[in-house]
Amino acid sequence: MERRTNHRALTDNDTLGGRISLARDASALSLVTAAKMVGVESDVWSAWENDRSEPAHAYMETIAASLHVSGTWLATGFGPGPRWPSDEALF
């Protein structure tokens, strides 16, 4: 089964860490910058992106806001996901 967020397809194999990484890439943020925005060390952020750990629930909305995605999309893959710079031409 394939899900779509904007025009990027996600599969059932997508993970929270994968969505964090995808959204950070779409936002053109470095790992260090994203971590600072949320108030964690870069090794913590890296562990989230690589599915070695998950962010505490208290961080989820802050992460979503800093990456310009909905909290629902970040947690589940459904809802408004990342917008890539090339998406701007579509809207």
Side-chain angles (χ1 to χ4, degrees), residues 23-72:
R24 183 177 60 78
D25 288 346
S27 297
L29 294 173
S30 72
L31 187 145
V32 172
T33 300
K36 284 181 182 176
M37 290 174 71
V38 174
V40 298
E41 298 294 325
S42 58
D43 62 330
V44 171
W45 188 282
S46 178
W48 293 344
E49 285 193 5
N50 291 292
D51 294 310
R52 291 190 309 267
S53 69
E54 290 190 358
H57 181 72
Y59 283 112
M60 292 295 283
E61 284 301 319
T62 305
I63 294 167
S66 68
L67 299 177
H68 308 289
V69 297
S70 73
T72 300

Side-chain angles (χ1 to χ4, degrees), residues 2-10 14 19 22 69-70 73 77-84 87:
E2 223 174 80
R3 293 178 282 183
R4 290 200 175 269
T5 176
N6 297 340
H7 69 280
R8 305 278 188 221
L10 298 174
D14 88 289
R19 288 187 297 275
L22 181 74
V69 297
S70 73
W73 180 84
F78 291 100
R83 293 183 77 169
W84 296 81
D87 287 348

